[in-house]
Amino acid sequence: MATKESPRPGGRSARVQASVHKAVQTLLATLERTEVTVPLIAAEAGVTPSTIYRRWGDLQELLADVAVERLRPDMVPVDTGSFGSDLMAWAEQYAEEMSSGPGREMIRDVLAAQDGSGAYQCCNFTRQQIEVIAERAEERGEVFTDVEAVMDGVVAPIMYRILFGGAPDAAHVERLVTASLASKPAP
Amino acid sequence: MATKESPRPGGRSARVQASVHKAVQTLLATLERTEVTVPLIAAEAGVTPSTIYRRWGDLQELLADVAVERLRPDMVPVDTGSFGSDLMAWAEQYAEEMSSGPGREMIRDVLAAQDGSGAYQCCNFTRQQIEVIAERAEERGEVFTDVEAVMDGVVAPIMYRILFGGAPDAAHVERLVTASLASKPAP
DNA sequence: GCGCTAAAAGCAAATAATTTGCTTTTATGT
DNA sequence: ACATAAAAGCAAATTATTTGCTTTTAGCGC
């Protein structure tokens, strides 16, 4: 989407993107999802609706774009001393954040977009967080669970239940992590 | 959504629902997702757009409603003689169906709707299929994996990867099932 | 069966959204 | 500085959505 091309002639590009993103966040914080429209966002951002349509295509793509930015992790997983407790702490926080109203809406926005790249990015944000935990474990000389096994055993069940059923409770998350630690100790 | 109330005065209800659903399926088979609009569906179904708006609210809810119907299982999982092979056969078919273009679009439609009940229903369709496999295992006197453990260990990873990354390949699905069979043999 | 009733559907005007052709602005490379 | 091409503005045209009101219909009591 935002490829690495060097900025070409003509763009107020970055400025508009920033104000539109901010406008979306402001409006989402205030109004119901169904009340947030492109013309409203345009007015709030001080741009023309056609600018938004031409840059993003439609409301869903814009909402997805904003949601991906907001889902980008802003901190490194806390270091609690071991792979197991790092993963447990991370998973608990992840489940809580994603289960929250705003979390669920952001995930929904990302998945609703036609362009699947947002979902892929989010998945990678998560994978990278786990890789950080794994790399620390490796530096400590620990035996630790394969990253893809954690994706399957911890991340996927949490996300599945948030999306398709009730959010998993803390005990469930703890069980998932424990099982993952026990089952596949291999890199 | 479609509650079990006995039909009240006035509804051509069922007839309209059927023709609109059929129209949606016809159009989805022909056109790109972004080209399918409420007025088009209305014309194809021989109803007025306002009828659709009043019954379903918007296009997304209608698409979700249709997708849920299409995701409803139409057969019982095949009986291959044991819990393990039943689950393996079912998981392979499930992964294949859901990974397909139409499968992915239906899931997306279900999740994109404001009304989360469709996702919940789909999750239950899946759970019920696994329960059928589990009940057969119980009748045979087998030891078998808890249904929720299968949801976490097999269904969730398949769905997560379909939604967020590349679809899982056959070998991956096989590994998930094998691990699930090995890890939690209990009720 | 016959009307009564209320839910659902039709119709059409009003509103809101999206698209589009054309003009203007602006960041970059020369 | 100037030329250039990408991005943004503007406004008209199109398309989608909402809404008030009328008509049709299925179930209900008689």
Side-chain angles (χ1 to χ4, degrees):
Chain A
M1 184 140 282
T3 45
K4 66 284 149 149
E5 303 160 5
S6 60
R8 286 297 163 67
R12 264 154 300 195
S13 200
R15 207 172 6 256
V16 168
Q17 158 132 345
S19 66
V20 170
H21 273 226
K22 179 184 282 189
V24 169
Q25 289 186 225
T26 303
L27 292 171
L28 282 181
T30 315
L31 305 171
E32 294 299 314
R33 160 57 66 17
T34 54
E35 297 171 330
V36 177
T37 65
V38 170
L40 246 185
I41 295 164
E44 174 77 25
V47 302
T48 296
S50 64
T51 295
I52 293 178
Y53 288 115
R54 283 206 246 245
R55 267 179 79 104
W56 281 278
D58 63 16
L59 179 61
Q60 288 192 336
E61 296 296 321
L62 171 55
L63 292 178
D65 195 36
V66 172
V68 169
E69 285 316 304
R70 299 192 60 193
L71 286 167
R72 187 189 298 278
D74 51 353
M75 345 186 311
V76 157
V78 281
D79 187 341
T80 63
S82 76
F83 182 80
S85 60
D86 280 7
L87 186 60
M88 187 70 81
W90 176 84
E92 281 166 357
Q93 191 186 330
Y94 180 77
E96 196 160 316
E97 281 179 14
M98 296 301 167
S99 301
S100 71
R104 291 170 57 107
E105 292 209 324
M106 288 187 285
I107 300 165
R108 176 161 307 190
D109 286 343
V110 168
L111 291 176
Q114 289 298 121
D115 179 357
S117 68
Y120 186 73
Q121 276 183 77
C122 288
C123 177
N124 270 341
F125 292 159
T126 303
R127 184 177 281 112
Q128 281 157 14
Q129 294 283 94
I130 296 167
E131 275 166 2
V132 169
I133 294 175
E135 279 160 20
R136 278 202 307 244
E138 188 152 44
E139 282 166 16
R140 292 189 200 105
E142 293 183 81
V143 174
F144 57 94
T145 313
D146 175 66
V147 171
E148 292 309 314
V150 175
M151 295 299 287
D152 284 340
V154 178
V155 176
I158 290 171
M159 199 52 95
Y160 181 83
R161 287 177 183 273
I162 289 171
L163 286 171
F164 288 92
D169 59 22
H172 194 151
V173 172
E174 194 183 315
R175 251 180 294 130
L176 292 170
V177 173
T178 305
S180 180
L181 292 173
S183 66
K184 309 199 180 185
Chain B
M1 180 143 286
T3 45
K4 67 285 150 150
E5 303 160 6
S6 59
R8 287 296 162 68
R12 263 155 301 196
S13 200
R15 208 173 3 259
V16 168
Q17 157 130 349
S19 66
V20 169
H21 273 226
K22 179 183 281 188
V24 170
Q25 290 186 225
T26 302
L27 292 171
L28 282 180
T30 316
L31 305 170
E32 295 299 313
R33 159 56 72 0
T34 53
E35 296 172 330
V36 176
T37 65
V38 170
L40 247 185
I41 294 164
E44 174 77 24
V47 301
T48 295
S50 64
T51 295
I52 293 179
Y53 288 116
R54 283 205 247 246
R55 267 179 79 104
W56 282 279
D58 62 16
L59 178 61
Q60 288 191 337
E61 296 296 321
L62 170 55
L63 292 178
D65 194 34
V66 172
V68 169
E69 285 315 303
R70 298 192 60 193
L71 287 168
R72 187 190 299 278
D74 53 353
M75 344 185 314
V76 157
V78 280
D79 187 341
T80 63
S82 76
F83 182 80
S85 60
D86 281 5
L87 187 60
M88 187 70 80
W90 176 84
E92 281 166 358
Q93 191 187 331
Y94 180 78
E96 197 160 316
E97 282 178 13
M98 296 300 168
S99 301
S100 72
R104 291 169 59 107
E105 293 208 324
M106 288 187 284
I107 301 165
R108 177 160 305 188
D109 287 343
V110 168
L111 291 176
Q114 289 299 120
D115 178 356
S117 68
Y120 186 72
Q121 277 183 75
C122 288
C123 177
N124 271 341
F125 292 160
T126 304
R127 184 177 281 113
Q128 281 157 14
Q129 294 284 93
I130 296 168
E131 275 166 4
V132 168
I133 294 175
E135 279 160 20
R136 277 201 307 245
E138 188 153 44
E139 283 168 16
R140 293 190 200 103
E142 293 183 81
V143 174
F144 57 94
T145 313
D146 175 66
V147 171
E148 292 309 314
V150 174
M151 294 300 287
D152 284 340
V154 178
V155 175
I158 290 172
M159 198 53 94
Y160 181 83
R161 288 179 183 272
I162 289 171
L163 286 172
F164 288 93
D169 59 21
H172 194 151
V173 172
E174 194 182 317
R175 251 180 293 128
L176 292 170
V177 173
T178 304
S180 179
L181 292 173
S183 66
K184 307 197 179 184

